[in-house]
């Protein structure tokens, strides 16, 4: 017997009633999906309707094998069905922060049964399914069953993401940094009001675990190991996705993220020469409307993104950006700009991999200056990373542009690369006169971020964006939608 609850944004959890199912019916037909229409009875035993569910009973061995094969696949970066020493090191770092180099080497030798220098999935499963499983204390049966409840019968590539997210959030919660619930990635669609849970690609989950491989995170980053790994992966992935062979990834990506290709200027996935060409595809001019195009006093979103707005940096740091050393000096590395933007307002426009990856001008004006790139790291801009100790915005590769305007004064446009984003390309020359909504450039594969800095007192943000930001909730907006008005 189990309870049934109804959830909606207005009233949260509403108790519906009880349902009953006989376990012996499932036991009689193992490995078979059974279809049920169950009566929902309230506390007065009155019918509240029917619940339609499908249940499948799986034996323990089948479940464990499904879990471990899916988990190890998460770390098979080049998808060759084999785990290298580096990939095993990433796997071990993701579930235990304190493995020493010699312990990793010893573990690799144990897994590599035929001593061919790589670990097959079968070799991996053989060892973890044995009684002396070296990972038993790190991933127990409870975690396997919890994962199965979430993702069973889906693509098992999602197993690694679920496990890493759960373990990462649990670690953060135990350290008292944030509550686990706050580390879920929830966004509110501005157009519909719907609260969405964001899909996190496996490479971002791996990057987060590597960033926090010591439990404290900062130590390993300062050591430089993670910087090298992420930089290597970024260049490697960028190179891979610029080859003709990368085309095969396009339909998988579209299916995983449920992309609407009707919006693309070129809607035929087969016509793109490479994955990267598809990734920074153009949209049809009619699918993104610019708010008040003839009113230069209205600023607009620079991208399809998950967005925050904060009236000042201290408020942004209190509610969202938790990097210990983050501030104008580390972000801008320019004393003159630092003084000019003291007390500034900030827009954080995060582009997830599934978002349209061209960025646009937010205000009417002139591209007065574009500085040489700063930073050389490629940490993930995932919210879980932003809200912890690593100074992602100040350390990642970024390009700062200055837009001179009549209505907003000088506006800084900062394009920031992230995990797997090695390329920040601008399509407008310095000195060009631009109107809000004009294309300004694009990011190659991955997630990324645009920061906008407005001088103190120059912009009044839209109320709905301010409200969500004060609740630490990102708003899903489209390029050209209103940010606020000039004061």
């Amino acid at each position: 017997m189990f309870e049934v609850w109804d959830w909606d944004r207005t009233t949260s959890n509403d108790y519906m009633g009880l349902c009953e199912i006989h376990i012996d019916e499932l036991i009689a037909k193992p490995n078979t999906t059974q279809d049920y229409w169950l009566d929902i009875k309230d506390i007065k035993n009155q019918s509240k309707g029917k619940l339609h569910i499908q249940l499948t009973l799986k034996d323990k061995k089948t479940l464990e094998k499904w879990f471990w094969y899916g988990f190890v696949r998460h770390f098979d970066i080049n998808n060759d069905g084999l785990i290298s020493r580096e990939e095993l090191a990433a796997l071990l770092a993701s579930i235990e922060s304190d493995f020493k180099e010699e312990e990793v080497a010893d573990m690799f030798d144990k897994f590599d049964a035929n001593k061919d220098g790589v670990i097959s999935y079968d070799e991996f499963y053989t060892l973890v399914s044995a009684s002396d499983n070296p990972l038993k204390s790190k991933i127990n049966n409870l975690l396997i069953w919890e994962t199965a409840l979430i993702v069973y019968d889906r693509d098992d590539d999602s197993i690694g993401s679920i496990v890493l997210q759960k373990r990462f959030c649990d670690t953060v919660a135990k350290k008292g940094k944030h509550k686990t619930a706050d580390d879920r990635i929830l966004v509110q669609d501005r157009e519909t009001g719907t609260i969405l849970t964001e899909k996190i690609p496996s490479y971002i989950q791996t990057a987060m675990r590597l960033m926090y491989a010591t439990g404290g995170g900062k130590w390993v980053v300062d050591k430089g190991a993670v910087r090298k790994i992420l930089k290597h992966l970024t260049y490697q992935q960028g190179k891979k996705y610029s080859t003709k062979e990368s085309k095969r990834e396009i339909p998988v990506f579209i299916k995983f993220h449920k992309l609407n290709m009707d919006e693309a200027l070129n809607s035929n996935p087969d016509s793109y020469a490479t994955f990267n060409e598809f990734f920074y595809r153009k949209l049809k001019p009619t699918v993104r409307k610019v708010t008040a195009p003839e009113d230069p006093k209205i600023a607009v979103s620079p991208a399809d993104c998950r967005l925050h707005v904060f009236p000042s940096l201290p408020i942004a740091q209190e509610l969202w950006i938790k990097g210990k050393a983050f501030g104008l000096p580390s972000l801008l590395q320019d004393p003159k700009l630092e003084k000019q933007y003291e007390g500034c307002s900030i827009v954080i426009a995060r582009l997830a991999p599934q978002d349209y990856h061209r960025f646009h001008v937010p205000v009417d004006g002139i591209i007065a200056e574009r500085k040489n790139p700063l930073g050389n790291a490629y940490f993930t801009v995932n919210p879980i990373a932003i809200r912890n100790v690593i100074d992602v915005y100040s350390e990642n590769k970024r390009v700062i542009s200055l837009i001179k305007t009549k209505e907003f004064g000088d506006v800084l446009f900062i394009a920031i690369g992230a995990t797997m984003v090695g390329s920040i390309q601008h399509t407008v020359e310095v000195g060009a006169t631009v109107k809000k909504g004009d294309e300004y450039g694009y990011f190659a594969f991955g997630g990324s971020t645009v920061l906008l800095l407005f001088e103190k007192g120059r912009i009044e943000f839209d109320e709905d964006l301010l409200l969500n930001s004060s609740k630490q909730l990102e708003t899903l907006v489209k390029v050209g939608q209103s940010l606020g008005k000039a004061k």
Side-chain angles (χ1 to χ4, degrees):
M1 186 172 293
F2 56 89
E3 296 178 341
V4 179
W5 293 73
D6 174 43
W7 182 91
D8 59 70
R9 277 194 303 126
T10 305
T11 59
S12 190
N13 296 328
D14 299 314
Y15 176 72
M16 299 294 293
L18 294 173
C19 283
E20 183 176 314
I21 191 168
H22 296 285
I23 298 299
D24 55 352
E25 294 180 12
L26 288 172
I27 296 175
K29 296 180 180 180
N31 301 313
T32 302
T33 300
Q34 301 185 56
D35 197 89
Y36 293 93
W37 286 90
L38 304 175
D39 288 322
I40 304 175
K41 299 291 184 69
D42 63 14
I43 56 176
K44 296 180 180 180
N45 204 34
Q46 294 180 339
S47 177
K48 299 290 288 184
K50 296 278 189 179
L51 176 68
H52 182 210
I53 63 174
Q54 292 181 323
L55 297 175
T56 306
L57 179 68
K58 296 288 184 180
D59 63 82
K60 181 181 177 182
K61 184 176 180 180
T62 299
L63 186 65
E64 289 179 344
K65 188 171 184 178
W66 162 84
F67 173 87
W68 285 113
Y69 272 74
F71 183 65
V72 72
R73 184 176 290 110
H74 181 83
F75 296 91
D76 184 4
I77 295 172
N78 56 0
N79 296 312
D80 61 357
L82 300 170
I83 300 299
S84 67
R85 289 182 182 272
E86 293 76 19
E87 290 167 339
L88 180 66
L91 182 153
L92 295 175
S94 75
I95 58 177
E96 172 57 65
S97 62
D98 297 324
F99 276 117
K100 297 178 181 178
E101 188 173 344
E102 57 269 24
E103 292 175 318
V104 174
D106 181 62
M107 194 83 71
F108 186 90
D109 290 338
K110 288 181 179 178
F111 278 109
D112 184 17
N114 63 2
K115 307 304 178 186
D116 62 351
V118 289
I119 302 168
S120 69
Y121 292 0
D122 287 340
E123 286 177 322
F124 184 86
Y125 176 69
T126 297
L127 187 57
V128 296
S129 61
S131 58
D132 57 346
N133 172 14
L135 305 181
K136 186 175 182 179
S137 63
K138 312 303 178 187
I139 295 183
N140 56 33
N141 285 334
L142 179 60
L143 181 57
I144 295 175
W145 296 334
E146 288 177 343
T147 305
L149 286 173
I150 299 172
V151 300
Y152 197 80
D153 278 343
R154 301 185 201 172
D155 185 347
D156 61 7
D157 285 342
S158 61
I159 293 174
S161 295
I162 294 296
V163 173
L164 295 186
Q165 186 175 20
K166 178 174 176 54
R167 289 186 62 83
F168 178 83
C169 292
D170 286 350
T171 298
V172 171
K174 288 175 182 177
K175 288 180 175 293
K177 304 276 186 183
H178 304 287
K179 296 179 181 178
T180 302
D182 293 335
D183 284 319
R184 293 175 299 169
I185 303 178
L186 301 178
V187 297
Q188 183 174 39
D189 190 312
R190 193 181 197 183
E191 294 181 336
T192 66
T194 305
I195 302 294
L196 307 172
T197 301
E198 183 176 317
K199 284 188 174 182
I200 309 176
S202 60
Y203 71 88
I204 291 180
Q205 287 286 358
T206 302
M208 287 194 295
R209 287 305 308 180
L210 287 172
M211 287 168 67
Y212 291 87
T214 64
K218 192 66 178 176
W219 178 85
V220 73
V221 172
D222 288 342
K223 287 273 287 187
V226 172
R227 294 176 186 274
K228 291 180 181 179
I229 292 173
L230 292 181
K231 190 172 184 178
H232 171 73
L233 289 176
T234 295
Y235 286 129
Q236 182 185 62
Q237 201 73 359
K239 184 177 180 181
K240 172 185 174 182
Y241 282 144
S242 295
T243 65
K244 293 180 179 180
E245 290 74 21
S246 65
K247 284 185 61 173
R248 71 187 68 172
E249 304 288 341
I250 295 175
V252 178
F253 189 87
I254 292 173
K255 181 180 179 181
F256 180 77
H257 291 296
K258 299 180 180 178
L259 300 184
N260 179 11
M261 288 302 293
D262 289 338
E263 292 187 335
L265 186 62
N266 181 357
S267 60
N268 180 7
D270 293 333
S271 65
Y272 292 96
T274 67
F275 182 89
N276 250 336
E277 186 179 294
F278 153 77
F279 187 77
Y280 47 74
R281 63 197 175 278
K282 289 177 176 285
L283 297 183
K284 295 173 182 174
T286 56
V287 300
R288 295 291 184 270
K289 303 294 185 182
V290 176
T291 301
E294 302 306 320
D295 185 355
K297 293 183 179 180
I298 302 295
V300 299
S301 173
D304 280 15
C305 61
R306 295 105 210 289
L307 186 131
H308 275 308
V309 297
F310 298 104
S312 70
L313 277 185
I315 294 175
Q317 290 170 295
E318 177 185 351
L319 294 174
W320 195 249
I321 306 172
K322 301 299 182 180
K324 289 183 177 179
F326 175 81
L328 292 180
S330 58
L331 177 66
L332 303 178
Q333 297 184 23
D334 183 319
K336 183 179 177 181
L337 285 179
E338 179 188 343
K339 184 176 180 179
Q340 181 180 354
Y341 285 89
E342 185 176 348
C344 68
S345 301
I346 183 171
V347 175
I348 303 172
R350 178 177 67 88
L351 287 72
Q354 60 267 41
D355 293 325
Y356 164 61
H357 257 63
R358 289 181 179 260
F359 46 83
H360 293 244
V361 179
V363 290
D364 292 0
I366 298 173
I367 307 297
E369 184 179 1
R370 187 156 61 230
K371 294 181 172 293
N372 292 327
L374 298 173
N376 59 8
Y378 291 102
F379 300 130
T380 174
V381 292
N382 184 284
I384 297 175
I386 300 303
R387 299 177 63 196
N388 283 279
V389 297
I390 296 174
D391 303 315
V392 174
Y393 297 144
S394 299
E395 300 194 40
N396 275 19
K397 183 176 181 180
R398 59 199 183 278
V399 179
I400 300 174
S401 302
L402 188 147
I403 307 173
K404 284 194 170 293
T405 80
K406 293 180 181 179
E407 293 74 22
F408 295 93
D410 291 351
V411 177
L412 288 188
F413 186 111
I414 308 174
I416 302 176
T419 305
M420 308 303 177
V421 181
S423 178
I424 302 171
Q425 299 292 336
H426 292 85
T427 55
V428 176
E429 297 296 329
V430 174
T433 298
V434 293
K435 288 187 66 68
K436 62 181 179 182
D438 288 351
E439 181 185 303
Y440 187 42
Y442 61 86
F443 295 103
F445 176 70
S448 39
T449 289
V450 171
L451 300 184
L452 303 177
L453 300 188
F454 291 85
E455 294 171 307
K456 182 178 181 180
R458 296 307 297 258
I459 188 169
E460 181 180 338
F461 290 124
D462 290 345
E463 192 63 34
D464 64 323
L465 300 178
L466 281 171
L467 180 61
N468 276 355
S469 297
S470 71
K471 297 188 295 186
Q472 302 177 349
L473 177 65
E474 291 178 306
T475 305
L476 184 63
V477 303
K478 292 180 179 177
V479 63
Q481 291 184 343
S482 174
L483 289 177
K485 60 184 179 181
K487 285 187 176 181

